[in-house]
Amino acid sequence: MKKIFYLLIALAMTSVTFAQKATDNFAGKYKTDDGSTVIITKTSNGFVGIDDMKKVVLKDIKFDGKEWKGTTYNPKKDMTASCEILLEGNKLKIVAHKAFLSKTVYWDMIK
């Protein structure tokens, strides 16, 4: 019983460690999972990401009080989806949602 209690405490502390903040700044240059580059900039309306082909692949990224949310666009599939974004060290975790399906991708920050 004690092991389960300690496990629950450890899990709770881990989730606090990965909490998102309104002050998160993920502006910068990222390499996507398919090898292209996306430049994310901060605007007055939130964050915007533009790829190598000058297409907007992330837009309206805003903090809603709990997490970063917005819209992502996949130009190869010509598909738009809602998304959540989480900054994890030098990686950007993007979880896209379309209907009842979701896909998670990680982009690496380029220094």
Side-chain angles (χ1 to χ4, degrees), residues 59-64 67-71 83-85:
K59 68 178 183 177
D60 301 328
I61 307 298
K62 297 177 186 165
F63 193 73
D64 74 352
E67 59 192 355
W68 289 96
K69 290 186 175 186
T71 305
C83 68
E84 289 103 31
I85 294 180

Side-chain angles (χ1 to χ4, degrees), residues 59-94:
K59 68 178 183 177
D60 301 328
I61 307 298
K62 297 177 186 165
F63 193 73
D64 74 352
K66 295 187 294 184
E67 59 192 355
W68 289 96
K69 290 186 175 186
T71 305
T72 185
Y73 173 69
N74 183 339
K76 291 182 179 176
K77 295 183 179 182
D78 192 31
M79 187 183 306
T80 302
S82 62
C83 68
E84 289 103 31
I85 294 180
L86 178 63
L87 186 61
E88 295 181 346
N90 288 334
K91 289 188 180 276
L92 201 61
K93 178 181 177 181
I94 301 169

Side-chain angles (χ1 to χ4, degrees), residues 91-102:
K91 289 188 180 276
L92 201 61
K93 178 181 177 181
I94 301 169
V95 182
H97 302 280
K98 187 78 169 181
F100 59 89
L101 302 173
S102 67

Side-chain angles (χ1 to χ4, degrees), residues 10-35:
L11 287 173
M13 293 178 75
T14 304
S15 65
V16 170
T17 304
F18 292 112
Q20 299 182 52
K21 301 177 284 292
T23 57
D24 286 345
N25 184 1
F26 43 87
K29 193 182 252 190
Y30 292 86
K31 181 155 295 273
T32 66
D33 55 345
D34 67 358

